[in-house]
Amino acid sequence: MMSIVQVTTKEELREHLKTKKMVLINFWAEWCGPCKMFKGVLKELNEEFSGKVKIIRVNVEKSPDIAAEYKVMGIPHSRLIIHNKLREPIIGYVPFEQLKQMIGI
């Protein structure tokens, strides 16, 4: 099973985006309650769809430049990239079943 990847630099993120898989980038912070809840959803997603979705987490406090590039205004904030196309943001906590529907798997 693939692990959830933590990135801190734009270079790391670029390397991880060089994949044929669907990518979900999750922006979060340590102090964010909904982010902690959503981490469990991401873990479940990773376990169930390990071969299909690559999950990347970005701490907005450690990587504000990446958060700014993706226009993150609040957290948790997730962006789905399918076939190198950025989809609409997923804002806030989303339950597992709803997240599966939103990303189409």
Side-chain angles (χ1 to χ4, degrees), residues 11-21 23 54 56 84:
E11 292 74 31
E12 281 179 299
L13 181 58
R14 261 193 296 281
E15 281 304 307
H16 285 290
L17 291 178
K18 291 179 184 174
T19 180
K20 299 289 179 221
K21 291 185 176 83
V23 177
K54 182 174 200 166
I56 300 172
N84 296 319

Side-chain angles (χ1 to χ4, degrees), residues 19-82:
T19 180
K20 299 289 179 221
K21 291 185 176 83
M22 184 184 305
V23 177
L24 182 71
I25 305 173
N26 172 246
F27 296 91
W28 65 284
E30 291 288 339
W31 48 263
C32 169
C35 296
K36 290 176 185 168
M37 290 170 36
F38 196 56
K39 184 178 182 180
V41 172
L42 294 175
K43 192 174 173 198
E44 197 175 342
L45 186 74
N46 188 53
E47 287 168 6
E48 194 165 322
F49 299 102
S50 175
K52 294 181 182 166
V53 182
K54 182 174 200 166
I55 301 171
I56 300 172
R57 297 190 80 218
V58 178
N59 183 321
V60 296
E61 292 185 314
K62 292 181 180 169
S63 307
D65 55 332
I66 300 173
E69 186 177 317
Y70 284 85
K71 297 175 178 53
V72 175
M73 298 296 181
I75 51 173
H77 178 114
S78 300
R79 297 304 298 263
L80 187 65
I81 301 171
I82 304 174

